[in-house]
């Protein structure tokens, strides 16, 4: 609990922590008390320095509640919109502190009072507006946050190689795992030279149970602090035209491997009270995807596994994140046998993932993907979703596999 509070406090400037606590107090204690407990006849509410009484006061408590609740949520989540909201509310409070004494205090003292109170709130508002950097989340580097060693599966290409680069940039030494040793060594050499971290290269077919066991044994001397379950592949085509053995390999790689590897290193993370597990799912796993039926089913498994583990481990110091990318530029489309099509940059997917780690159970990278996974998948009937998805995927699938 103490560590959690310290970690939370360290995330923001102390001034924003104070504002967060104040907003929480106003949201949960003061405004509800004002609204529900204080008799209507005694209630007063000040907006822009004008005092409203009785029924008007009750009514105008509602926007006050909305502002404090929004500030609490925004400051907690370090959302970018918090700064303009806080600055706008600061302008209102500044005006109130000038107008109120001029209207309601008798004698000359109202002038210095208005100047002092208005000046103090104006200074606070300007400070908020000018310090944009304070509202972007303060990140503790991965090595400091979770420990020295990361293990990334599928680190020989695409998103996995980008994860290895990003984690090394944040000081973590990296175990790079995939089947192609030469590619793994190339990424390892690059990150060693650029970031001065240690690396270990392990060639392993993660769809193979014995090979996975050997992998776990070969890093028994390391404390794995961050596990990125990334290795995966697509396979475009109609189910009855696909090679069943390759589909079974996919199930082993996407479902068995993350379960087995997470089970191998999670107990150590829990014991140390810190660690991170990232599981690469996909937006393809948030809806049925014809011509990628087994792929979308296995990615649904990954999405849900990560989100469930996030809740199980909440508060233990171990962060879990499911990553749901949409189409991303990598070797994926080639390996899947798809007709090439546009995608996001793998480095952007990784940046958004590391940004979300420790903040939420899953992240959908990219706005279009968010709409697809949320609006479309929640609002449209399953039949419409499947048929629309089929029409889209058919355009990316070679004729002979449709
Ligand atoms: N690219 C996309 O559009 C996209 C979209 C959503 C989700 N994703 C997910 O993101 C993850 C990474 O994909 P990517 O786009 O980076 O694809 P990629 O460029 O093809 O990389 C896939 C990685 O997985 C490794 N791998 C494949 N089979 C393996 C096996 N049996 N054992 C060990 N390693 C294996 C590959 O290395 P070797 O060949 O050397 O073994 C490679 O390093 C996958 O889980 C994928 O499902 C990708």
């Amino acid at each position: 609990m103490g560590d959690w509070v310290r970690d939370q406090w360290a995330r923001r400037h102390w001034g924003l922590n104070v504002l967060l606590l104040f907003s929480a107090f106003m949201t949960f204690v003061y405004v509800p008390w004002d609204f529900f407990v204080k008799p209507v006849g005694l209630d007063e509410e000040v907006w822009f320095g004008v005092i409203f009484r009785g029924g008007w006061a009750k009514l105008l408590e509602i926007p006050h509640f909305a502002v404090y609740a929004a500030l609490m949520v925004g400051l907690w989540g370090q959302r970018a919109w918090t700064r303009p909201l806080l600055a706008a509310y600061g302008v209102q409070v500044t005006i109130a502190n000038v107008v109120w004494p001029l209207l309601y205090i008798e004698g000359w003292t109202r002038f210095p009072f208005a100047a002092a109170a208005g000046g103090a709130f104006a200074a606070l508002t300007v400070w908020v507006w000018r310090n944009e950097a304070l509202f972007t989340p303060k990140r503790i580097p991965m090595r400091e946050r979770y420990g020295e060693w990361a293990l990334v599966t599928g680190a020989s290409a695409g998103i996995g190689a980008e994860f290895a680069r990003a984690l090394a940039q944040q000081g973590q030494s990296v175990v790079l795992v995939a089947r192609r040793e030469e590619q793994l060594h190339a990424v390892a050499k690059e990150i060693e030279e650029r970031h001065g971290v240690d690396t270990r290269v392990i060639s392993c077919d993660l769809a193979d149970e014995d090979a996975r066991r050997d992998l776990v044994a070969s890093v028994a001397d390391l404390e794995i602090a961050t596990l990125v379950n990334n290795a995966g592949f697509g396979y475009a085509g109609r189910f009855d035209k696909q090679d069943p053995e390759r589909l079974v390999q996919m199930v082993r790689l996407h479902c068995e491997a993350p379960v087995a590897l997470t089970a191998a290193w999670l107990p150590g993370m829990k014991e140390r009270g810190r660690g991170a597990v990232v599981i690469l799912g996909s937006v393809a796993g948030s809806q049925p995807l014809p011509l990628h039926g087994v792929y979308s089913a296995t990615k649904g498994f990954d999405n849900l596994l990560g989100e469930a583990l996030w809740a199980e481990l909440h508060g233990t110091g171990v962060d879990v994140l499911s990553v749901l990318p949409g189409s991303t530029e990598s070797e994926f489309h080639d390996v899947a046998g798809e007709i090439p099509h546009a995608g996001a940059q793998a480095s952007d997917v990784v940046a958004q993932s590391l940004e979300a780690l420790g903040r939420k159970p899953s992240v959908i990278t990219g706005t279009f993907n968010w709409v697809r996974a949320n609006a479309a998948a929640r609002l449209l009937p399953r039949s419409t979703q499947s048929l629309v998805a089929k029409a889209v995927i058919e355009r990316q699938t070679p004729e002979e596999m449709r």
Side-chain angles (χ1 to χ4, degrees):
M1 181 69 183
D3 285 350
W4 182 82
V5 172
R6 230 168 289 127
D7 178 48
Q8 286 302 327
W9 190 264
R11 286 178 184 214
R12 296 165 210 86
H13 183 277
W14 68 266
L16 298 189
N17 279 322
V18 171
L19 284 170
L20 170 61
L21 289 174
F22 179 70
S23 303
F25 169 76
M26 295 301 277
T27 306
F28 291 121
V29 182
Y30 187 79
V31 182
W33 172 80
D34 219 18
F35 190 82
F36 292 111
V37 181
K38 205 188 262 181
V40 179
L42 296 180
D43 206 2
E44 288 183 348
E45 201 66 14
V46 180
W47 276 97
F48 294 98
V50 179
I51 300 178
F52 295 86
R53 296 191 167 86
W56 277 109
K58 288 285 177 216
L59 194 68
L60 290 170
E61 265 150 27
I62 296 168
H64 258 147
F65 177 82
V67 169
Y68 284 120
L71 286 178
M72 182 186 68
V73 170
L75 287 164
W76 175 260
Q78 293 173 284
R79 307 278 177 206
W81 50 260
T82 319
R83 187 175 66 105
L85 176 64
L86 198 52
Y89 192 63
V91 169
Q92 187 276 138
V93 176
T94 303
I95 294 170
N97 276 277
V98 174
V99 172
W100 179 81
L102 296 181
L103 286 182
Y104 302 105
I105 295 181
E106 300 278 316
W108 66 269
T109 50
R110 62 188 159 159
F111 296 108
F113 191 103
F121 281 102
L124 188 63
T125 306
V126 169
W127 176 77
V128 163
W129 187 250
R130 293 183 62 174
N131 284 285
E132 190 172 359
L134 297 183
F135 291 82
T136 39
K138 204 155 88 182
R139 304 300 277 168
I140 303 165
M142 294 288 288
R143 181 184 178 124
E144 215 179 297
R145 205 157 130 211
Y146 298 118
E148 184 183 351
W149 280 91
L151 187 144
V152 181
T153 71
S156 60
I159 298 171
E162 285 302 329
F163 260 110
R165 291 186 182 103
L167 297 177
Q169 191 185 17
Q170 295 198 30
Q172 287 194 304
S173 295
V174 187
V175 182
L176 301 106
V177 183
R179 291 164 304 180
R180 290 169 297 168
E181 214 169 331
E182 206 177 308
Q183 276 85 342
L184 289 174
H185 277 296
V187 179
K189 185 164 180 278
E190 178 199 324
I191 64 177
E192 275 181 13
E193 285 174 1
R194 193 168 291 176
H195 304 295
V197 297
D198 289 330
T199 61
R200 190 177 288 186
V201 162
I202 300 175
S203 167
C204 171
D205 180 350
L206 288 160
D208 183 286
E209 195 181 346
D210 293 334
R212 285 197 304 258
R213 224 174 274 129
D214 291 346
L215 162 68
V216 173
S218 64
V219 293
D221 57 320
L222 304 178
E223 279 185 358
I224 301 300
T226 302
L227 168 64
V228 182
N229 286 297
N230 162 80
F233 68 94
Y235 183 13
R238 235 172 58 187
F239 185 79
D240 55 81
K241 290 188 174 183
Q242 288 175 316
D243 170 10
E245 186 45 38
R246 198 166 165 204
L247 293 177
V248 170
Q249 292 295 317
M250 181 183 282
V251 176
R252 293 200 174 119
L253 182 64
H254 294 178
C255 304
E256 278 186 17
V259 171
L261 300 189
T262 305
W265 291 302
L266 185 58
M269 294 179 193
K270 266 189 89 173
E271 216 175 283
R272 295 190 291 276
R274 62 180 189 157
V277 178
V278 176
I279 301 178
L280 262 289
S282 171
V283 277
S286 59
Q287 62 165 93
L289 208 61
L291 305 172
H292 273 296
V294 174
Y295 180 76
S296 75
T298 58
K299 287 292 152 178
F301 177 99
D302 291 331
N303 295 350
L304 295 178
L305 176 64
E307 291 181 329
L309 292 184
W310 173 86
E312 281 186 26
L313 293 158
H314 194 60
T316 63
V318 181
D319 295 323
V320 183
L321 180 77
S322 286
V323 179
L324 283 67
S327 178
T328 305
E329 283 183 16
S330 68
E331 297 178 2
F332 184 90
H333 299 155
D334 256 8
V335 175
E338 290 176 335
I339 296 166
H341 51 280
Q345 294 301 308
S347 54
D348 289 342
V349 170
V350 171
Q352 287 178 54
S353 306
L354 294 181
E355 188 53 50
L357 181 64
R359 294 179 189 281
K360 43 187 176 177
S362 54
V363 62
I364 298 169
T365 57
T367 312
F368 170 73
N369 296 323
W370 189 91
V371 173
R372 173 179 152 193
N374 282 288
R378 280 168 214 239
L379 299 177
L380 297 177
R382 287 313 248 191
S383 53
T384 313
Q385 280 174 46
S386 291
L387 292 171
V388 170
K390 184 177 164 205
V392 173
I393 301 295
E394 262 175 351
R395 279 187 265 133
Q396 300 169 359
T397 308
E399 180 100 47
E400 65 280 10
M401 290 301 286
R402 289 180 208 156

